């Protein structure tokens, strides 16, 4: 009996070694269309195998990982993958179609201006009603308004309404964010009363009674912060005929986190302050930091060539970082310390609810079709607002030098987790999931600790800069 069992075990051990095991993680289908000049093949084979793609020998990395850059021609591209082991070969064929550009672009929809003496009234019907610079989804976001903001409409283009606001700026809102505009007899200007200033442990507040919530913009320019309220008059200054009210706040230090809230017929501008004096020997002591491990639960994020999901790597690094920051005396909050689904906006709310001074979102990177994983890789940090640029720069530089990774740039980009102006928000792309060397490193416990150490060091350096 025992001898049979032994033979069975031996058989399985042996057969595992001779099994062809080609697993293509990307592209995800064998027949598909990709309208880009290239794609890449990422996946894994039995580490003892050899792999050819269109007769070219492919390097096999740790655990059978392979990543291959593949230019695409117009028409049908047939790509043959051949895994060979102990004289046995298995072929898998991919058929990828690439269309020739037609030169026809989407028609530009006309702008339909409202009738001259018509006054079109509407209101936002949901929170995070995005105001954009142009009538397209891809155009710059100006502000996310809460539910109940009164707006007047100047015209329409496609699915976007142009907002009637005095000044040079253009403001557009998608129709899904507002009530169907109705004709009214009069434009009601919002009225504000004299602002009150007060503060607590975390913020300086400027609060003013307002007759109804309005469109506003907040712009940071170096040490200045400008709040503009549109279609608003100040009852203390009725002679001002501009229909806009502006406030300028000037800080002697760098502008920290800031945001606007509408509460109980009040508009409140919050400007973060540092709760306690920064101790140069323990600069994170008492500092509230939010750590966001990207993706989680149903959201894998990028998938590595051996099917390790990005969410696991983000979580491992984040947990180490949370521990290190706590050891420095920081007050740490986080989006998750387990594998669970958390929506992007819940993450942002958690950071605000915890009065976080800084928010760091941890990710590992991937690439779209048309890019080469062997030339585009390394560390990237992403900021959206000027108040996060210095921190993003410090984190990127430290990661590049501490981990000996390629510098893939400090990037200004609009992502859910770096868009808030409060807290100071940075998104870190530690390294690339689809670069074989970096993918190997990302799974290494020591490397993950080094990433966490490097981010901690950067946060300390940033706080010391704020002290000066
Ligand atoms: Zn990610």
């Amino acid at each position: 009996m025992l001898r049979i069992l032994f033979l069975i075990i031996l058989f399985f051990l042996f057969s595992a070694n001779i099994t062809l095991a080609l697993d293509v993680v990307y592209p995800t289908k064998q027949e598909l269309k990709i309208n880009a000049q290239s794609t890449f093949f990422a996946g894994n084979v039995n580490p003892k195998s050899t792999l050819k793609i269109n007769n070219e020998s492919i390097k096999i990395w740790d655990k059978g990982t392979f990543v291959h850059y593949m230019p695409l021609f117009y028409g049908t591209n047939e790509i043959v993958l051949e895994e060979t082991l102990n004289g046995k070969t298995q072929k898998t064929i991919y058929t990828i179609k690439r269309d020739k550009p037609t030169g026809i672009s989407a028609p530009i929809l006309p702008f339909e201006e409202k009738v001259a003496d018509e006054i079109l009234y509407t209101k936002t019907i949901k929170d995070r009603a995005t105001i954009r610079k142009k009538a397209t989804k891809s155009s710059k976001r100006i502000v996310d308004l809460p539910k109940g903001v009164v707006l007047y409409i100047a015209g329409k283009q496609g699915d976007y309404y142009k907002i009637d606001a005095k000044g040079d700026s253009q403001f557009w809102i998608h129709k899904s964010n507002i009530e169907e505009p109705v004709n009214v007899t009069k434009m009601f200007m919002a009225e504000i009363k004299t602002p009150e200033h007060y503060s607590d442990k975390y913020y300086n507040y400027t609060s003013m009674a307002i007759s109804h919530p309005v469109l506003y913009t907040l712009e940071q320019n170096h040490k200045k912060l400008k709040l503009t309220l549109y279609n608003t008059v100040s009852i203390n200054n009725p002679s001002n005929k501009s229909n806009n009210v502006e406030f300028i706040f000037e800080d002697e230090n760098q502008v920290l986190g800031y945001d606007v809230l509408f509460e109980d017929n009040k508009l409140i501008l919050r400007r973060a302050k540092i709760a306690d004096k920064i101790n140069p020997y323990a600069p994170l002591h008492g500092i509230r930091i939010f750590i966001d491990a990207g993706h989680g639960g149903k959201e894998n994020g990028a998938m590595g060539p051996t099917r390790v999901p990005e969410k696991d790597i983000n979580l491992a690094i984040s947990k180490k970082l949370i521990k290190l920051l706590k050891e420095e005396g920081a007050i740490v909050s986080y989006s998750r310390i387990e594998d669970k689904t958390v929506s992007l906006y819940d993450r942002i709310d958690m950071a605000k609810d915890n009065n976080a001074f800084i928010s760091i979102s941890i990710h590992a990177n991937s690439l779209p079709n048309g890019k080469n994983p062997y030339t585009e890789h390394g560390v990237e940090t992403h900021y959206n607002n000027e108040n996060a640029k210095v921190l993003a720069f410090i984190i990127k530089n430290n990661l590049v030098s501490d981990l000996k990774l390629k510098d893939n740039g400090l990037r200004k980009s609009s992502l859910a987790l770096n868009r808030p102006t409060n807290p100071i928000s940075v998104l870190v792309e530690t390294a690339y999931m689809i670069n074989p060397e970096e993918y190997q490193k990302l799974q290494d416990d020591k490397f993950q600790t080094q990433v966490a150490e490097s981010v901690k060091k950067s946060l300390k350096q940033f706080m010391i800069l704020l002290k000066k």
Side-chain angles (χ1 to χ4, degrees):
M1 188 60 204
L2 215 64
R3 194 182 298 168
I4 293 168
L5 197 69
F6 179 73
L7 281 171
I8 290 171
I9 290 169
L10 206 68
F11 173 78
F12 274 106
L13 281 176
F14 187 64
S15 64
N17 268 338
I18 59 158
T19 310
L20 294 162
L22 176 68
D23 173 26
V24 179
V25 174
Y26 192 85
T28 49
K29 282 193 285 182
Q30 272 178 267
E31 266 180 53
L32 75 164
K33 186 186 277 186
I34 295 175
N35 284 332
Q37 59 181 6
S38 65
T39 187
F40 48 86
F41 279 78
N44 61 89
V45 291
N46 186 320
K48 292 189 163 59
S49 302
T50 58
L51 176 69
K52 282 183 175 180
I53 299 180
N54 284 358
N55 275 326
E56 192 184 324
S57 289
I58 305 300
K59 182 175 162 78
I60 306 296
W61 302 77
D62 185 51
K63 294 171 189 155
T65 296
F66 69 87
V67 176
H68 184 61
Y69 172 72
M70 176 64 65
L72 296 173
F73 305 100
Y74 291 129
T76 303
N77 296 261
E78 200 176 76
I79 296 139
V80 184
L81 287 81
E82 289 173 280
E83 184 189 8
T84 303
L85 184 63
N86 297 335
K88 263 192 187 173
T89 295
Q90 194 177 319
K91 267 192 196 182
T92 308
I93 300 171
Y94 277 71
T95 312
I96 302 176
K97 283 192 178 137
R98 180 184 171 197
D99 293 336
K100 265 193 180 153
T102 57
I104 304 165
S105 49
I108 296 167
L109 295 160
F111 176 61
E112 304 160 41
E113 201 172 338
K114 70 174 180 71
V115 179
D117 53 1
E118 206 175 37
I119 298 168
L120 291 173
Y121 165 96
T122 185
K123 245 186 202 178
T124 54
I125 51 170
K126 53 183 167 193
D127 284 337
R128 297 193 169 95
T130 303
I131 301 292
R132 295 186 185 274
K133 206 173 177 172
K134 289 178 185 165
T136 61
K137 202 184 166 188
S138 58
S139 93
K140 190 179 174 336
R141 285 165 182 263
I142 294 171
V143 64
D144 281 355
L145 297 177
K147 188 178 169 180
V149 172
V150 172
L151 299 169
Y152 292 93
I153 301 299
K156 197 182 178 196
Q157 186 172 345
D159 288 338
Y160 284 82
Y161 284 103
K162 189 179 179 192
I163 296 166
D164 193 349
K166 303 289 173 277
D168 303 328
S169 303
Q170 294 236 13
F171 301 110
W172 295 84
I173 192 162
H174 191 268
K175 64 176 186 187
S176 63
N177 292 310
I178 54 171
E179 282 172 2
E180 180 74 34
V182 289
N183 223 323
V184 291
T185 50
K186 189 176 181 294
M187 195 190 248
F188 287 95
M189 294 285 117
E191 285 182 359
I192 52 161
K193 287 187 184 157
T194 312
E196 284 170 46
H197 304 277
Y198 56 94
S199 52
D200 65 12
K201 202 173 167 194
Y202 309 117
Y203 298 102
N204 292 315
Y205 298 88
T206 301
S207 167
M208 59 196 96
I210 188 160
S211 54
H212 60 251
V214 290
L215 169 66
Y216 71 89
T217 56
L218 259 175
E219 293 162 84
Q220 185 193 348
N221 186 353
H222 193 47
K223 289 176 183 177
K224 275 187 195 161
L225 191 61
K226 186 170 91 177
L227 170 68
T228 309
L229 309 178
Y230 294 86
N231 295 338
T232 303
V233 288
S234 165
I235 54 169
N236 300 100
N237 189 8
S239 60
N240 183 354
K241 295 273 190 302
S242 82
N243 289 347
N244 296 340
V245 178
E246 276 181 16
F247 295 93
I248 291 175
F249 302 90
E250 193 156 4
D251 284 301
E252 21 172 326
N253 277 315
Q254 194 193 328
V255 173
L256 308 172
Y258 56 89
D259 54 11
V260 160
L261 313 164
F262 289 101
E263 264 173 26
D264 308 327
N265 301 320
K266 276 184 182 155
L267 182 152
I268 302 162
L269 171 72
R270 298 193 294 189
R271 290 177 297 138
K273 58 180 200 178
I274 298 156
D276 297 304
K277 254 194 168 170
I278 299 167
N279 174 352
Y281 302 101
L284 296 180
H285 192 271
I287 306 299
R288 304 179 81 90
I289 302 172
F290 180 76
I291 300 300
D292 171 51
H295 315 285
K298 288 180 205 152
E299 319 264 330
N300 283 321
M303 190 58 91
T306 60
R307 297 195 182 271
V308 173
E310 182 202 334
K311 63 175 183 176
D312 289 0
I313 288 165
N314 299 342
L315 182 61
I317 294 170
S318 297
K319 282 165 90 169
K320 291 177 194 300
L321 179 56
I322 290 166
K323 185 168 175 278
L324 290 173
L325 294 176
K326 282 183 175 168
E327 285 166 10
E328 295 286 332
I331 302 163
V332 187
S333 53
Y334 44 78
S335 54
R336 64 184 185 101
I337 45 162
E338 58 198 325
D339 184 23
K340 66 171 181 185
T341 312
V342 186
S343 82
L344 292 173
Y345 290 131
D346 282 350
R347 293 168 199 249
I348 293 166
D349 290 344
M350 285 178 203
K352 283 188 193 276
D353 291 348
N354 284 291
N355 288 314
F357 179 71
I358 293 170
S359 161
I360 305 287
S361 184
I362 300 287
H363 286 255
N365 223 337
S366 62
L367 283 173
N369 292 313
K371 303 273 185 177
N372 187 340
Y374 288 98
T375 55
E376 198 151 335
H377 60 96
V379 178
E380 282 169 32
T381 56
H382 294 250
Y383 73 98
N384 183 55
N385 307 303
E386 199 184 322
N387 66 357
K389 188 175 180 179
V390 171
L391 178 58
F393 182 72
I394 296 172
I395 294 174
K396 192 235 357 154
N397 284 357
N398 280 334
L399 283 172
V400 166
S401 61
D402 293 345
L403 295 145
K404 317 259 175 311
L405 290 168
K406 181 177 177 253
D407 185 343
N408 212 32
L410 168 70
R411 298 184 180 219
K412 183 168 161 60
S413 54
S414 171
L415 306 162
L417 263 296
N418 71 7
R419 218 177 283 135
T421 49
N422 176 44
I424 295 168
S425 303
V426 173
L427 185 140
V428 181
E429 294 282 5
T430 48
Y432 272 74
M433 295 290 290
I434 43 149
N435 176 279
E437 277 176 88
E438 292 182 6
Y439 177 56
Q440 216 164 303
K441 287 179 182 171
L442 282 166
Q443 295 169 71
D444 177 44
D445 188 76
K446 223 171 105 191
F447 180 87
Q448 294 170 352
T449 303
Q450 284 175 319
V451 171
E453 290 277 4
S454 183
V455 174
K456 180 194 83 177
K457 179 170 99 181
S458 305
L459 287 166
K460 288 171 87 169
Q461 289 172 351
F462 179 68
M463 290 313 297
I464 286 170
L465 269 185
L466 291 186
K467 189 185 154 54
K468 284 170 189 164

